[in-house]
Amino acid sequence: MIMDFNKFDSRKIAEIGAPMALLDPWTNEPMASDGKPCRVIVRGTASKTMQSMMRAKQKAAMASHKKGKDDEARVMEDIHDQLCESAAPFIVGFENVMNGDKPATADDAAWFLDLTFPEMGTKQDDEGNDVLDKDGAPTFEMKNNPFAKQVGEFAGKQSNHLGNVKSG
């Protein structure tokens, strides 16, 4: 029998998306509702949709940079907004996630991602002392695992090609 190589179409699988178990942003424990895992269906970076979006975003950024647009002062909310904006297009749907009294859908991506905000703090060693850089200044790290970060990291992993799911 001749092998059907369509089963290796990782781009199609990336387009459909794969289920990502949601983790509590503070404990990193898997989240569940009525014993069922709360999951977000995440499109992979290899999808043609995402590659097209990334290309358009890069072109816009290059055009903006060429115009000499100065960077304004940035606060943590700017980074949060950027994380959410980058992660939202990867979301295809949800499983066992409610937005109030209705099941969450891909249209709820912005709402969902805005629920958790990145919390920064000083990095500490095993003894609880601040970790300092070469100039003696404290180093900082993200203390939680916001949903936007979880989605972005999962989308970038090629391991999410292991199965198709329904979108919703």
Side-chain angles (χ1 to χ4, degrees):
M1 180 174 210
I2 297 175
M3 183 183 291
D4 179 5
F5 272 71
N6 285 313
K7 71 180 182 179
F8 297 106
D9 189 350
S10 62
R11 307 251 357 237
K12 180 179 178 183
I13 293 169
E15 191 71 44
I16 292 167
M20 178 195 86
L22 289 169
L23 303 176
D24 180 288
W26 290 101
T27 66
N28 276 323
E29 294 293 321
M31 299 174 77
S33 177
D34 294 329
K36 297 177 186 172
C38 297
R39 304 192 300 188
V40 61
I41 310 307
V42 179
R43 184 181 284 135
T45 57
S47 80
K48 291 181 181 187
T49 297
M50 291 312 304
Q51 287 298 308
S52 177
M53 285 181 167
M54 287 185 239
R55 179 178 293 111
K57 194 171 185 174
Q58 265 190 331
K59 283 183 180 181
M62 287 170 46
S64 173
H65 184 66
K66 286 180 184 177
K67 292 178 185 175
K69 189 176 181 181
D70 292 331
D71 288 334
E72 297 179 16
R74 290 175 48 100
V75 296
M76 197 63 201
E77 186 167 24
D78 298 322
I79 295 166
H80 168 70
D81 290 345
Q82 186 177 10
L83 276 170
C84 292
E85 183 182 322
S86 296
F90 288 103
I91 295 178
V92 179
F94 295 89
E95 293 177 356
N96 306 312
V97 175
M98 300 291 286
N99 182 355
D101 61 352
K102 66 177 185 69
T105 68
D107 292 336
D108 294 315
W111 156 81
F112 169 74
L113 295 168
D114 194 45
L115 294 173
T116 56
F117 192 85
E119 296 288 336
M120 300 299 290
T122 55
K123 187 173 185 174
Q124 296 183 329
D125 62 21
D126 292 337
E127 287 82 41
N129 300 312
D130 289 348
V131 174
L132 307 176
D133 67 14
K134 63 180 169 88
D135 297 321
T139 58
F140 293 89
E141 66 182 353
M142 196 175 301
K143 295 292 187 178
N144 65 345
N145 193 8
F147 295 142
K149 180 176 178 269
Q150 292 179 44
V151 169
E153 288 175 351
F154 185 83
K157 292 179 183 173
Q158 292 305 311
S159 62
N160 66 2
H161 74 282
L162 296 175
N164 297 345
V165 297
K166 62 180 174 41
S167 61

